[in-house]
Amino acid sequence: MTNRTVEPQIEVERVELANGLTLLLSENHSTPSVAFYAVVLTGARFEPDEQAGLASLVGELIDEGTTTRSSQQIAEAMESVGARFRSYGNYQTSGVQAALLAKDLPLVLEIAADVLMNASFPEDQFQLHVSRRLAQIKSRLDVPRTQASDVFNEIVFAGHPQHKPAIGYEATIKNIKREDLIAFYRRHFVPNNTTLAIVGDFDKAQVREQIERLFGKWERDANFARPVVPTLTRQPEPKDKFVQAPKEQVNIFIGHLGVDRKNPDFYALLVMDTILGSSPGFTSRIPRILRDEQGLAYTTFANMTSSAGLDAGRFIAYIGTSPANLKQALQGLRTEVRRMTTEPVTESEIESAKAYLTGNFVFDFQTNAQVAEFLIEAGLYDLGFDYLKTYPEKIRAVTIDEVSRVAKKYLAPDALTTVVVGPVDELGNLLV
């Protein structure tokens, strides 16, 4: 008798409507539920600096009223069937997400189509969201780790849309008009810039017919073209920034420009990340040495691949620690980053990292929402719908030499940006 390994699979049907709308359907009849994702390929990466926060406001407000439904009517319709329905706008995508019972899919599709095609941005809701946004901006700056991250981004991504927080700044939010939201919405929310991913308990033929009926009248924009986003290169020299904040802890970020998701070395970098600082257990060097052995912090990590997207993300090593530990913590982070580029990882480290990455991978595909999110990412990054099969193969193929090669290529221990926020002066001297 032959033992055969049954590879997990996701059956996906891809359809493109005549107006350019892409539809991804995956049936899963294990529970009477459905996850619906409508993703428009736009976000803060396409907004000008002087309108920072615009895309996220558009995303937040598209479900606050349409030409035929008020915000309250939309909310009550979703509440009446117990569906979770939210709109959003982040750095590279915007749209609608919903979790619902299968029997309510026709209603949710109808409202989602209305929101995506006919959002009206009522003046009262616009003013309400602007007020909330200004309060959010003020409160998030009270969080020193967030402040340090923002300062880090301003340096590493200078000259690129990623330098600014997607939430915007107080000054830019105050200057954004309702007309700006409408203009951004009309420019980017078009069917030939939108993908629907639907996963769960439904019949594909019936849903295709519903989608054709609801979205088929959405007119294609023949002149649509995505704005060009500049490409950055990694900084050639170290940069330090010390920001005084009256806190009891120092928050430290070191790092530089990272890689985009389509980088051919992504999987070797994923293994490197796990060994250096992104595993939650005892596998990673930085958490094990700085947290567990030296007792410098509760939270410390390093990572390059988690921020990889359509644009290059960032490599960061972070620690939050007592001001008295500032020098030791900084030295510890820098030492481990450099050691990754000069010493091969051990056989034990690479095998543990690969076992962790392949062992936990299946848990990313347990829910309909997780699968819907994967379908979107598979399209964005050309992952292939056989990713459940190819991912473990790519991870297992990574060797010690490969980790050494990518560490030397993508880590720059002599050209790190260092940001410290806490009780320090501008030269990095402690004030406590």
Side-chain angles (χ1 to χ4, degrees), residues 315-343:
F315 164 66
I316 55 169
Y318 165 82
I319 189 168
T321 188
S322 164
N325 298 326
L326 173 59
K327 288 185 178 179
Q328 184 180 354
L330 260 177
Q331 185 60 42
L333 290 178
R334 290 168 173 165
T335 296
E336 293 309 319
V337 172
R338 182 177 298 280
R339 186 160 74 98
M340 184 59 69
T341 68
T342 57
E343 297 179 9

Side-chain angles (χ1 to χ4, degrees), residues 6 36 84 103 145 217 261 276 284 324 333 411 415 417:
V6 179
F36 170 84
R84 293 199 304 271
K103 66 181 180 59
R145 179 168 163 177
K217 55 193 174 187
R261 181 60 181 84
L276 178 61
S284 294
L333 290 178
L411 294 179
T417 286

Side-chain angles (χ1 to χ4, degrees), residues 217-417:
K217 55 193 174 187
W218 198 3
E219 189 173 349
R220 180 191 191 101
D221 184 349
N223 297 317
F224 173 75
R226 296 188 188 98
V228 176
V229 176
T231 301
L232 287 179
T233 54
R234 192 174 63 202
Q235 65 198 55
E237 70 285 317
K239 298 180 181 180
D240 297 339
K241 182 74 173 180
F242 298 92
V243 180
Q244 184 180 347
K247 303 295 181 182
E248 296 179 354
Q249 181 171 282
V250 286
N251 284 265
I252 305 168
F253 279 84
I254 69 170
H256 48 62
L257 189 69
V259 297
D260 65 57
R261 181 60 181 84
K262 292 184 181 180
N263 188 298
D265 291 323
F266 180 84
Y267 299 95
L269 288 167
L270 197 56
V271 174
M272 182 199 78
D273 273 349
T274 305
I275 295 171
L276 178 61
S278 64
S279 167
F282 294 97
T283 305
S284 294
R285 292 178 177 179
I286 285 177
R288 175 172 54 80
I289 295 172
L290 273 66
R291 182 191 62 199
D292 303 330
E293 295 178 8
Q294 298 183 19
L296 295 178
Y298 291 115
T299 304
T300 181
F301 60 87
N303 190 284
M304 182 180 295
T305 52
S306 67
S307 60
L310 294 171
D311 303 321
R314 59 185 193 175
F315 164 66
I316 55 169
Y318 165 82
I319 189 168
T321 188
S322 164
N325 298 326
L326 173 59
K327 288 185 178 179
Q328 184 180 354
L330 260 177
Q331 185 60 42
L333 290 178
R334 290 168 173 165
T335 296
E336 293 309 319
V337 172
R338 182 177 298 280
R339 186 160 74 98
M340 184 59 69
T341 68
T342 57
E343 297 179 9
V345 301
T346 67
E347 188 69 32
S348 174
E349 284 179 317
I350 196 169
E351 290 307 318
S352 294
K354 291 196 285 190
Y356 168 75
L357 291 169
T358 55
N360 285 277
F361 177 61
V362 294
F363 297 115
D364 293 336
F365 297 87
Q366 291 189 311
T367 68
N368 289 334
Q370 288 174 318
V371 175
E373 185 174 1
F374 159 70
L375 296 183
I376 296 296
E377 292 189 354
L380 279 179
Y381 306 127
D382 302 330
L383 301 180
F385 295 133
D386 59 348
Y387 192 61
L388 269 72
K389 178 177 182 295
T390 60
Y391 172 86
E393 293 172 350
K394 291 176 178 176
I395 293 298
R396 292 186 188 113
V398 177
T399 65
I400 291 175
D401 288 344
E402 275 289 285
V403 174
S404 292
R405 180 184 66 80
V406 298
K408 291 174 182 173
K409 181 175 181 179
Y410 296 101
L411 294 179
D414 292 323
L416 294 168
T417 286

